[in-house]
């Protein structure tokens, strides 16, 4: 199986090294890891052209893959990296198998209530909402917004919660790989 | 054409009213607006079940639509609402036509450099990166992460930048509707 490696690790100084470690893990489990860098963008005319071509190339890589394993840990804010979220949505649209992991043990709801609203929230019917802006907060006990956890689950995959302060930690990725291999075995036994 | 109305307006106290205004705009332009609330979620067993069923229902609504118009204004942080980003990715995966608008005139790169890093960034080769964490920052002059602007553009749509301090403002939505109608006319004339 070809597995696309999604996550904000691409922005790290040692991105190549981190993605290399994940590729080796895929190989150990009998699969092939595909990195967002596994593409050549040449003869770029300007910044916009470069961005558009990277986006198209990554969609092409996901298309070639059977599954996606995504790091949805909060990145530069209270939510997962926007590029990673897009890729999960795209992969779900292409009917790929998706697993995701986060290194934040807080639920999406608790993160927004605590880190964004600083606890200044109130109960309203079955929901929580900001006390000042009256805006509702997803409260489904999920790691991310319901579309993300929902899409991953509907694809046949799962969301794994681990604890780590290091975005480049491979343990969440490996936990997903393990589940992926198990789910393939179960499919074969059925 | 059926147009799915994506954006964080669903979290507003007056969400129904705001989505109603956008549906009326769609009708004025000869199309049908579909809101994320246009579905019945009944007999929910628990919070998780509720979230999963909302996610599945929204995917179903996008499937029924021909196009998506999405509000990608920053929401509770430096990036667009995660549910909206997922829906853009999903719609692109399903080969729908997508338009997006933002009420923030800053590019994604400037927003991250200024609002997240507070200017504490440095140049490195063709990129900018955080001075302390050495993490790279997308710098393509786009409104959002390259996957989002790239996906919208590849779908045949466009990203519209307007200025407003009101998330519920309909002008960005209407600007996208206008472009959508124009693009359909051009297709017909071809």
């Amino acid at each position: 199986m070809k597995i696309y490696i999604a996550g904000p690790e691409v922005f790290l100084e040692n991105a190549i090294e981190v993605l290399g470690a994940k590729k080796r893990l895929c190989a150990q489990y009998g699969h092939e890891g595909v990195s967002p860098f596994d593409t050549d963008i040449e003869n770029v005319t300007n910044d916009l052209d470069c961005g558009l071509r990277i986006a198209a190339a990554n969609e092409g890589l996901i298309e070639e893959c059977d599954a996606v394993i995504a790091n949805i840990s909060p990145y530069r804010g209270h939510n997962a990296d926007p590029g990673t979220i897009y890729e999960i949505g795209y992969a779900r649209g292409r009917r790929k198998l998706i697993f995701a992991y986060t290194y934040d043990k807080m639920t999406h709801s608790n993160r927004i209530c605590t880190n964004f609203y600083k606890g200044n929230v109130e109960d309203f019917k079955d929901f929580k909402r900001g006390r000042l802006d009256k805006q509702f907060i997803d409260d489904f006990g999920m790691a991310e917004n319901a579309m993300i956890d929902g899409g991953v689950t509907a694809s046949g995959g799962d969301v794994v919660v681990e604890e780590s302060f290091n975005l480049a930690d491979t343990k969440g990725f490996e936990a997903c790989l393990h589940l992926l291999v198990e789910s393939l075995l179960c499919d074969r036994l059925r």
Side-chain angles (χ1 to χ4, degrees), chain A:
Chain A
M1 216 181 220
K2 286 178 90 168
I3 302 169
Y4 184 80
I5 305 168
E9 303 88 270
V10 290
F11 302 118
L12 297 177
E13 199 180 10
N14 63 342
I16 303 285
E17 189 188 311
V18 174
L19 288 160
K22 290 184 176 172
K23 282 186 172 197
R24 282 193 298 280
L25 276 172
C26 289
Q28 281 170 30
Y29 280 80
H31 296 287
E32 183 188 347
V34 174
S35 142
F37 295 144
D38 288 347
T39 177
D40 284 321
I41 311 284
E42 283 175 346
N43 305 318
V44 162
T45 54
N46 57 45
D47 285 350
L48 181 63
D49 179 51
C50 181
L52 294 175
R53 286 170 63 186
I54 289 173
N58 287 357
E59 286 190 1
L61 290 174
I62 294 171
E63 193 68 31
E64 282 173 28
C65 289
D66 310 287
V68 170
I69 297 182
N71 184 348
I72 59 166
S73 307
Y75 188 67
R76 291 176 180 160
H78 312 299
N79 291 104
D81 165 55
T84 304
I85 298 172
Y86 177 95
E87 291 177 338
I88 294 172
Y90 184 80
R92 172 68 189 134
R94 302 311 294 162
R95 302 297 182 240
K96 308 292 180 180
L97 175 60
I98 312 160
F99 286 83
Y101 60 96
T102 175
Y103 288 143
D104 185 353
K105 287 214 162 184
M106 283 178 115
T107 62
H108 176 250
S109 171
N110 285 343
R111 206 158 55 233
I112 297 297
C113 289
T114 307
N115 298 353
F116 179 75
Y117 285 107
K118 311 290 179 197
N120 201 14
V121 296
E122 61 188 16
D123 290 312
F124 182 80
K125 294 182 182 169
D126 288 342
F127 287 91
K128 282 194 163 48
R129 63 180 190 183
R131 200 184 299 274
L132 299 175
D133 67 12
K134 306 295 181 202
Q135 295 184 19
F136 291 96
I137 301 154
D138 258 12
D139 193 11
F140 306 120
M142 290 173 163
E144 249 299 344
N145 175 294
M147 295 309 299
I148 290 115
D149 290 55
V152 168
T153 307
S155 84
D158 215 338
V159 177
V160 173
V161 182
E162 296 268 354
E163 204 160 28
S164 174
F165 293 107
N166 177 11
L167 196 68
D169 199 317
T170 55
K171 72 176 174 184
F173 186 83
E174 189 163 8
C176 286
L177 255 179
H178 198 86
L179 286 179
L180 185 148
V181 168
E182 262 187 356
S183 80
L184 296 180
L185 271 176
C186 289
D187 283 350
R188 216 178 298 162
L189 293 174
R190 239 178 243 140

